[in-house]
Amino acid sequence: EAGVAQSPRYKIIEKRQSVAFWCNPISGHATLYWYQQILGQGPKLLIQFQNNGVVDDSQLPKDRFSAERLKGVDSTLKIQPAKLEDSAVYLCASSSRQGSTDTQYFGPGTRLTVL
Amino acid sequence: AQSVSQHNHHVILSEAASLELGCNYSYGGTVNLFWYVQYPGQHLQLLLKYFSGDPLVKGIKGFEAEFIKSKFSFNLRKPSVQWSDTAEYFCAVRSGGGADGLTFGKGTHLIIQP
């Protein structure tokens, strides 16, 4: 079974530029998550999708971050404009949501550096 | 709101030593608990999880964890560590019964010296 795919793996941009990340979850997984992991900290949930609908985006900085999952499969996360403090690894995870035995599987992440 | 506290940010052990990594969480309701590991250059992988039942859960590579509800703890243990256990370890919590996002601790960087 193929895992969660993410691209690009690395991205370097200057502040105030825009950037987009892509995620393709494990086939058949209905739930998709985006996390932000700043150096020295654990991942922090940004947004959760169930199929193509948003379940939780309470921690997403909506003035600059946006995400979509139009067809309920792959997803993109965008930052516009980027700030220095957005430098982090952006992780995508997916789960099949089989009731209470749900487990999240993580992709390799995209490391963003904002100069 | 949920929170997770991992007591040790950096741990250095010699091979064959015993390991215990502390994890405490704050959440009043039913919880699901997880330990994830990130080996150098690799992505986060699930070590073990607790949903319900026997509070002593066993995971991959000889790891186990014990859920102590009265102490809000879910400590990770391994009786004899190997050099290949060098990695970052994250404890995570989620409200039970759903597919909500996880709340992670800050992680423990474990270095095993040969």
Side-chain angles (χ1 to χ4, degrees), chain A residues 21-88:
Chain A
F21 313 126
W22 175 82
C23 171
N24 192 31
I26 293 172
S27 178
H29 279 194
T31 310
L32 185 147
Y33 312 79
W34 282 103
Y35 291 83
Q36 178 193 57
Q37 185 177 13
I38 293 173
L39 186 64
Q41 299 182 20
K44 183 186 83 171
L45 179 70
L46 291 176
I47 189 167
Q48 175 186 348
F49 292 93
Q50 177 69 19
N51 297 310
N52 61 351
V54 175
V55 173
D56 181 4
D57 63 357
S58 58
Q59 299 189 87
L60 187 73
K62 298 179 187 64
D63 58 334
R64 298 182 301 104
F65 285 65
S66 64
E68 60 183 15
R69 194 185 184 199
L70 293 177
K71 296 182 179 179
V73 181
D74 56 351
S75 175
T76 56
L77 176 69
K78 297 179 182 178
I79 307 174
Q80 182 179 10
K83 293 185 175 181
L84 296 177
E85 59 261 36
D86 297 332
S87 292

Side-chain angles (χ1 to χ4, degrees), chain A residues 89-109:
Chain A
V89 176
Y90 291 85
L91 298 167
C92 180
S94 70
S95 67
S96 60
R97 195 168 191 186
Q98 292 179 345
S100 61
T101 60
D102 176 85
T103 296
Q104 295 180 27
Y105 297 90
F106 285 81

Side-chain angles (χ1 to χ4, degrees), chain A residues 100-103, chain B residues 30-34 49-53 57 94 97-98:
Chain A
S100 61
T101 60
D102 176 85
T103 296
Chain B
T30 303
V31 292
N32 298 154
L33 294 156
F34 305 82
K49 60 187 178 184
Y50 172 80
F51 290 122
S52 63
V57 293
R94 181 186 72 195

Side-chain angles (χ1 to χ4, degrees), chain B residues 31-96:
Chain B
V31 292
N32 298 154
L33 294 156
F34 305 82
W35 276 96
Y36 279 85
V37 61
Q38 188 167 26
Y39 297 104
Q42 297 187 27
H43 57 276
L44 278 168
Q45 302 172 36
L46 182 68
L47 259 184
L48 47 77
K49 60 187 178 184
Y50 172 80
F51 290 122
S52 63
D54 188 344
L56 184 62
V57 293
K58 296 189 183 299
I60 60 172
K61 304 187 180 184
F63 286 90
E64 64 179 30
E66 184 175 13
F67 170 52
I68 303 179
K69 188 175 181 180
S70 61
K71 295 184 177 180
F72 297 90
S73 70
F74 190 56
N75 292 354
L76 180 71
R77 300 194 293 249
K78 186 171 184 179
S80 177
V81 294
Q82 301 172 315
W83 176 79
S84 57
D85 293 325
T86 294
E88 191 88 20
Y89 292 81
F90 294 93
C91 181
V93 65
R94 181 186 72 195
S95 60

